[in-house]
Amino acid sequence: MNIFSMPLNQMLALSEGEGGLFDFNATLPLMAIQFILLTTVLTFIFYKPIGNLLEEREAYINNNLSEASAKLVEADALCKQYEEQLKEAKINAQSLISEAEAEAKKLVAVELGQARKDAAKLIDQVNIELDAQKDIALMQLESRIDDLSQLIKEKLLGTEAAR
């Protein structure tokens, strides 16, 4: 009970007789007035500021959610864009690799053909030199054969002449 209403309640209680369980005297309207005043005061002091705070918080949360969803949509768009760029880069890299491989194969083929030509030329030169050396060796052999046959003749004829 309120301190200010206490003496008035006592005075009203003294002037009237005591009642039963439900005594409808001046305290009932006084209690109703106190309840209405309390709810009014609480509404202005407590409920409205808290309600405003809750509304502001809800607006803040909704604003953050809308910003987050907008940023998520933007991030998805950027992700798709980057994936497309990555695909294009992979395709470009693959084409560059295949071009480089083809060019390398051409260079290898050219170098291999040149090496074969050089090897064939070298083999021909070696064959020519070997033929020349063979001819020289055969000439030397023929001259030695002639010398040896001459020597054999002289020995055979010389021994026959000596006999």
Side-chain angles (χ1 to χ4, degrees), residues 8 22 25 29-30 55 58 62 70 81 87 100 105 108-109 117-118 121 123 131 136 146 153:
L8 181 62
F22 295 107
N25 53 13
L30 190 60
E55 288 174 4
E58 185 179 352
N62 287 336
Q81 179 184 1
K87 284 180 185 177
K105 285 180 182 179
V108 166
K117 286 180 185 177
D118 290 344
K121 192 186 242 185
I123 288 172
D131 285 341
I136 292 172
D146 287 342
K153 272 189 201 177

Side-chain angles (χ1 to χ4, degrees), residues 60-159:
Y60 175 74
I61 289 171
N62 287 336
N63 186 23
N64 282 345
L65 283 175
S66 64
E67 287 178 7
S69 61
K71 287 182 180 180
L72 183 62
V73 167
E74 182 181 344
D76 285 340
L78 285 174
C79 183
K80 287 180 183 177
Q81 179 184 1
Y82 290 147
E83 285 176 355
E84 288 296 322
Q85 288 177 353
L86 184 63
K87 284 180 185 177
E88 290 175 9
K90 283 182 181 179
I91 291 170
N92 289 341
Q94 194 65 26
S95 66
L96 286 175
I97 288 171
S98 62
E99 287 175 8
E101 285 178 350
E103 193 173 315
K105 285 180 182 179
K106 286 180 185 177
L107 286 175
V108 166
V110 167
E111 291 293 325
L112 189 61
Q114 185 64 34
R116 285 184 179 157
K117 286 180 185 177
D118 290 344
K121 192 186 242 185
L122 184 63
I123 288 172
D124 288 342
Q125 273 183 337
V126 168
N127 282 337
I128 290 171
E129 287 178 13
L130 285 175
D131 285 341
Q133 286 179 359
K134 182 175 97 175
D135 290 341
I136 292 172
L138 283 176
M139 287 178 160
Q140 287 176 352
L141 217 78
E142 283 180 14
S143 68
R144 285 200 61 141
I145 288 175
D146 287 342
D147 290 343
L148 282 176
S149 57
Q150 189 64 31
L151 186 64
I152 290 173
K153 272 189 201 177
E154 286 177 8
K155 280 193 177 185
L156 282 176
L157 288 178
T159 53

